[in-house]
């Protein structure tokens, strides 16, 4: 602990990803509700410093330039931004020392002094009853707080700390997009993942199974069912109450179908009955809204990561109205949104030149998107940041009620007015075979989105080879290796479809001449999504194999992770008049031709067909779809 006893302490650094989650193609992901990576520590651990003798600890770290100020807590409940000028009483620190708690330059440097701990956080150092065993650090952004960096007293009497605190200790649950809300009678997802004691994502050596409790106002609620995948949820099949994070994996996705009747209350979900590790005590709270077509409830998403802007530049702001059935709200009667900024220098406009000021926007009839404009007018060029809170509410008299979280914008008031580096916004967890949207972004050195002065060609690649393909269109039909950011703009949308041979963590490589390049991490999953027929030798005359395997979304064959069974049909026309489907490679043991099973750990199910005398006859083979796995078909003529 940083108290006061001068212990020799150990700290572990949290490095997590921004939880975006991979969704079905029908579900367009928004940036609201996603978490950016946690800050990370650099320099000495505060627990390794002699707080007793110097009355302060210095905490230095790295942070995502897209987040706002750094917040600190000692109980994960009360959060405060460190004061710009720390109280240096009884320290030997130089007068005039300032805390750097702004992530604009990708780092922070703060001093936690004895007096500040007492006066701001209410911690009396030097008292064993007020020992500090944990320090929690996070950043704030318009899309919500970042993940949390947890610094741990290595001597604290807690499971998982000390020399082994890099191993998984907790099972944690979070509601995916939209975070905190769900629609009645809709499938919606949660992510359960493993954390170390200090909050780092981790894997475990064995499977971790668990269940979830559901309560409303403290009472158990049973009117809700869970599934292991989207297909099961949509077809209401294979209901389950037990979930598993496989050995070697750090998460699993859980799909719930919410009850058809909306609740005027909050559902709380908690992990219980873990087979290993401990369950987080934090509940995932969900407000259940009406998802019917006639419902008046809508939720707002902010498209793109446009939360840090440069002074005196006109930026677009895109607000999307969504139904609680996970579709854009194409309403006949347009709802009006009132926007209130906490700083009068930030104004909203109706035109791309920021000439006409407005305090509200209205969705036009049958249009779910509002494109407005925002500008922060400031004459000075000091190297500082301004923070502006933005509240969006539905105007009085609307037909609809809008759910929206308060937004926080940062304004770059520096003199860094030239685009200097690239960023790449989009999901960091994707599955093979799905088309995912990304934005190439140009920024200044502070990480502020800045338009380019002339057309900029950006090269698109992956750092590792054979991971997939970039595309120019949302259907992933037109391959491309470049994107052009047009003059006076800062964003260009591109698309990527993964086709990796193996699941794993890889890197994009986005670069352009004269700008700092960007190589963000991408986690590629390879879940089984389809049956696939191995190419069949259609040369007649011998006993031939028919192999049916399972594959991921990119069509790559996989070893079955569970048993997959499906009805099949095999027909030959004109009919040969006798059974030609067999169970053995010598075509001597007749086999059923109406069902196949790919067992767990297997690559394929194999049948055999006697092709002697089948010249000119046509083979039709169909494998039916089953829950979570699409079917397949083949037809051809024997030669």
């Amino acid at each position: 602990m940083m108290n006061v006893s001068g212990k020799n302490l150990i700290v572990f650094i949290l490095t997590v990803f921004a939880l975006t989650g991979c969704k079905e193609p029908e579900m367009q992901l928004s940036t609201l509700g996603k978490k950016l990576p946690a800050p990370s520590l650099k320099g000495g651990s505060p627990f390794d410093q002699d707080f007793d003798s110097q009355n302060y600890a210095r905490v230095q770290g790295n942070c995502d330039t897209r987040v706002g100020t750094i917040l600190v807590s000692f109980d994960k409940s009360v959060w405060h931004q460190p004061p710009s000028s720390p109280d240096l009483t009884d320290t030997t620190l130089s007068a005039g020392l300032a805390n750097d708690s702004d992530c604009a330059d990708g780092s922070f440097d703060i001093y936690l002094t004895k007096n500040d701990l007492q006066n701001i956080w209410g911690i009396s150092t030097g008292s064993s009853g007020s020992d500090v065993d944990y320090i929690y650090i996070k950043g704030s952004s318009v899309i919500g707080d970042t993940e949390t960096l947890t610094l741990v007293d290595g001597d604290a009497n807690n499971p998982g700390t000390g020399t082994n605190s890099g191993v998984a200790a907790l099972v944690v649950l979070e509601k995916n997009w939209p975070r905190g809300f769900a629609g009645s009678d809709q499938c919606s997802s949660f992510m359960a993942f493993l954390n170390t004691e200090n909050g780092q994502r981790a894997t475990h050596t064995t499977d971790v199974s668990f269940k979830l409790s559901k309560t409303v106002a403290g009472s158990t609620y049973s009117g809700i069912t869970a599934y292991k995948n989207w297909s099961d949820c949509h077809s209401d099949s294979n209901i389950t109450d037990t979930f598993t994070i496989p050995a070697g994996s750090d998460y699993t996705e859980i799909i719930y179908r919410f009850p058809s009747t909306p609740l005027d209350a909050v559902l709380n979900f908690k992990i219980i009955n873990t087979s290993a590790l401990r369950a987080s005590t934090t509940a995932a709270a969900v407000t259940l809204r009406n998802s019917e077509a006639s419902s008046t409830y809508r939720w707002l998403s902010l498209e793109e990561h446009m939360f840090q802007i440069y002074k005196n530049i006109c930026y677009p702001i895109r607000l999307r109205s969504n139904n609680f059935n996970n579709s854009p709200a194409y309403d006949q009667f347009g709802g009006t949104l009132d926007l209130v900024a906490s700083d009068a220098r930030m104004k909203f406009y109706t035109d791309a030149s920021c000439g006409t000021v407005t305090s509200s926007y209205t969705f036009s009839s049958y249009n779910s998107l509002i494109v407005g404009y925002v500008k922060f007018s400031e004459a000075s060029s000091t190297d500082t940041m301004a923070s502006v809170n933005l509240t969006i509410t539905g105007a009085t008299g609307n037909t609809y009620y809008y759910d929206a979280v308060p937004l926080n914008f940062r304004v770059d008031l520096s003199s860094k007015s030239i685009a200097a580096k690239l960023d790449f916004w989009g999901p960091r967890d994707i599955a093979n075979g799905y088309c995912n949207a990304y934005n190439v972004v140009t920024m200044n050195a502070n990480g502020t989105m800045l338009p380019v002065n002339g057309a900029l060609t950006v090269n698109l690649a992956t750092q590792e080879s054979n991971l997939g393909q970039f595309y120019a269109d949302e259907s992933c039909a037109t391959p491309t290796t470049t994107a052009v950011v047009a003059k006076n703009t800062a964003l260009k949308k591109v698309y990527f479809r993964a086709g990796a041979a193996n699941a794993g963590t890889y890197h994009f490589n986005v670069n352009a001449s004269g700008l700092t390049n960007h190589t963000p991490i991408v986690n590629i999953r390879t879940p089984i999504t389809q049956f696939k027929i191995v190419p069949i030798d259609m040369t007649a005359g011998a006993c031939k194999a028919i192999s049916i395997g399972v594959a991921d979304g990119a069509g790559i064959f996989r070893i079955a992770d569970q048993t997959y069974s499906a009805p099949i049909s095999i027909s030959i026309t004109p009919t040969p008049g006798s059974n030609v489907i067999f169970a053995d490679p010598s075509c001597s043991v007749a086999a059923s031709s109406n069902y196949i099973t790919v067992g767990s750990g297997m690559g394929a199910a194999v049948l055999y067909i006697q092709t002697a005398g089948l010249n000119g006859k046509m083979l039709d083979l169909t494998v039916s779809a089953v829950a979570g796995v699409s079917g397949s078909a083949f037809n051809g003529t024997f030669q």
Side-chain angles (χ1 to χ4, degrees):
M1 81 171 250
M2 183 191 66
N3 77 335
V4 268
S5 59
K7 299 177 186 175
N8 185 16
L9 306 165
I10 301 172
V11 113
F12 295 87
I13 302 173
L14 175 66
T15 52
V16 297
F17 72 97
L19 188 60
T20 61
C22 255
K23 297 287 165 278
E24 292 186 317
E26 71 199 46
M27 300 186 68
Q28 178 187 4
L29 293 185
S30 163
T31 58
L32 273 183
K34 309 264 190 331
K35 290 191 176 182
L36 294 173
S40 59
L41 191 70
K42 66 179 180 181
S45 161
F47 293 110
D48 289 335
Q49 300 173 37
D50 189 356
F51 190 91
D52 281 343
S53 64
Q54 62 189 21
N55 288 324
Y56 73 88
R58 185 180 186 183
V59 186
Q60 297 172 282
N62 298 311
C63 47
D64 194 310
T65 58
R66 293 173 291 172
V67 307
T69 53
I70 288 294
L71 303 173
V72 177
S73 174
F74 298 94
D75 59 5
K76 220 171 184 180
S77 175
V78 178
W79 294 87
H80 292 289
Q81 178 182 344
S84 57
S85 299
D87 188 332
L88 305 180
T89 305
D90 297 328
T91 72
T92 58
L93 296 171
S94 302
L97 185 73
N99 277 329
D100 174 14
S101 59
D102 194 312
C103 285
D105 59 356
S107 64
F108 63 92
D109 188 355
I110 59 177
Y111 293 84
L112 300 175
T113 69
K114 175 181 177 181
N115 278 13
D116 283 338
L117 290 184
Q118 180 170 351
N119 297 329
I120 297 176
W121 286 277
I123 296 174
S124 298
T125 59
S127 165
S128 60
S130 299
D131 288 352
V132 173
D133 293 325
Y134 296 89
I135 302 175
Y136 303 98
I137 301 175
K138 66 181 179 181
S140 61
S141 80
V142 71
I143 59 173
D145 294 339
T146 67
E147 295 285 358
T148 301
L149 166 65
T150 306
L151 307 181
V152 187
D153 174 357
D155 289 343
N157 185 21
N158 251 304
T161 59
T163 57
N164 293 318
S165 64
V167 301
L170 286 171
V171 188
V172 181
L173 184 71
E174 283 193 359
K175 168 69 170 63
N176 286 345
W177 180 87
R179 194 179 304 277
F181 293 96
S184 58
D185 200 29
Q186 298 298 307
C187 294
S188 194
S189 69
F190 290 75
M191 198 70 74
F193 51 91
L194 301 183
N195 269 3
T196 63
E197 195 67 55
N198 66 340
Q200 182 177 358
R201 286 286 293 273
T203 61
H204 195 52
T205 54
T206 61
D207 290 355
V208 179
S209 62
F210 58 92
K211 294 186 177 184
L212 295 185
S213 69
K214 292 96 61 179
T215 60
V216 174
S219 299
T220 299
Y221 184 80
S222 58
I224 185 169
T225 49
Y227 310 82
K228 292 181 180 179
N229 56 60
W230 290 96
S231 295
D232 284 355
C233 186
H234 290 318
S235 61
D236 194 20
S237 59
N238 300 319
I239 295 172
T240 186
D241 65 356
T242 302
F243 312 94
T244 300
I245 300 176
S249 178
D250 60 1
Y251 77 98
T252 191
E253 189 174 32
I254 301 167
I255 314 300
Y256 266 101
R257 177 174 287 279
F258 283 84
S260 57
T261 302
L263 302 176
D264 292 325
V266 175
L267 276 163
N268 284 296
F269 295 78
K270 278 189 178 182
I271 291 174
I272 58 172
N273 299 344
T274 54
S275 64
L277 313 181
R278 302 194 334 273
S280 170
T281 58
T282 302
V286 180
T287 299
L288 185 59
R289 298 299 197 194
N290 190 346
S291 65
E292 294 294 329
S294 59
S295 171
T296 59
Y297 286 105
R298 303 287 182 263
W299 65 274
L300 298 174
S301 60
L302 178 68
E303 301 208 336
E304 276 94 47
H305 290 265
M306 213 284 295
F307 58 83
Q308 182 165 303
I309 62 177
Y310 194 76
K311 63 183 180 182
N312 302 323
I313 289 182
C314 190
Y315 289 89
I317 179 171
R318 298 163 60 89
L319 293 167
R320 177 79 67 180
S321 176
N322 303 279
N323 295 309
F324 275 97
N325 63 6
N326 298 320
S327 65
Y330 298 110
D331 295 317
Q332 178 181 359
F333 304 105
T336 298
L337 306 178
D338 290 334
L339 289 78
V340 178
S342 62
D343 191 314
R345 292 173 292 179
M346 175 175 278
K347 291 183 172 59
F348 300 91
Y349 301 83
T350 58
D351 57 308
S353 61
C354 284
T356 305
V357 176
T358 186
S359 60
S360 65
Y361 293 112
T362 299
F363 290 103
S364 56
S365 181
Y366 300 108
N367 188 350
S368 67
L369 181 68
I370 287 174
V371 180
Y373 300 88
V374 60
K375 184 172 71 172
F376 188 95
S377 298
E378 173 59 53
S380 66
S381 296
T382 56
D383 192 15
T384 59
M385 288 276 176
S387 180
V388 183
N389 292 319
L390 173 61
T391 302
I392 304 175
T393 56
T396 302
N398 273 349
T399 304
Y400 312 104
Y401 298 95
Y402 294 98
D403 291 317
V405 297
L407 306 178
N408 177 263
F409 280 82
R410 289 194 304 162
V411 184
D412 188 342
L413 303 177
S414 73
S415 58
K416 298 173 182 178
S417 59
I418 298 175
K421 62 182 182 180
L422 293 170
D423 206 346
F424 199 56
W425 295 345
R428 290 294 174 256
D429 280 75
I430 62 177
N432 263 6
Y434 293 99
C435 194
N436 299 277
Y438 289 86
N439 272 307
V440 178
V441 187
T442 55
M443 296 177 160
N444 69 4
N446 287 342
T448 305
M449 187 169 67
L450 267 185
V452 290
N453 295 326
L456 177 73
T457 298
V458 179
N459 301 308
L460 306 172
T462 56
Q463 198 168 77
E464 299 81 8
S465 59
N466 301 319
L467 297 184
Q469 175 68 55
F470 285 95
Y471 295 86
D473 61 309
E474 64 182 350
S475 60
C476 281
T478 307
T480 186
T481 57
T482 61
V484 177
V485 182
K487 180 181 179 179
N488 296 327
T489 68
L491 290 172
K492 176 62 178 178
K493 184 160 287 187
V494 297
Y495 302 85
F496 180 78
R497 183 164 58 202
N502 299 297
T505 298
Y506 302 100
H507 301 80
F508 290 121
N509 186 2
V510 183
N511 62 85
S513 178
L515 274 69
T516 301
N517 301 335
H518 194 41
T519 56
I521 287 175
V522 57
N523 300 300
I524 299 178
R525 297 187 293 122
T526 57
I528 290 169
T529 61
Q530 59 181 305
F531 290 107
K532 187 175 179 180
I533 301 169
V534 176
I536 299 172
D537 180 1
M538 297 299 290
T539 304
C543 187
K544 303 289 180 68
I546 297 177
S547 297
I548 301 167
V550 287
D552 63 24
I556 300 174
F557 284 103
R558 300 292 172 190
I559 299 298
D561 55 352
Q562 63 183 61
T563 296
Y564 295 90
S565 299
I568 66 169
S569 65
I570 301 176
S571 65
I572 299 173
T573 53
T575 176
S578 62
N579 180 32
V580 295
I581 306 301
F582 298 89
D584 65 306
S586 61
C587 286
S588 60
V589 179
S592 169
S593 60
N594 56 16
Y595 217 80
I596 59 100
T597 297
V598 183
S600 178
M602 293 175 57
V606 184
L607 297 172
Y608 298 88
I609 182 169
Q610 178 54 261
T611 67
L614 295 186
N615 305 62
K617 296 184 182 294
M618 179 175 288
L619 170 68
D620 281 291
L621 169 61
T622 300
V623 183
S624 299
V626 296
V629 186
S630 63
S632 184
F634 171 86
N635 63 76
T637 302
F638 289 105
Q639 304 297 320

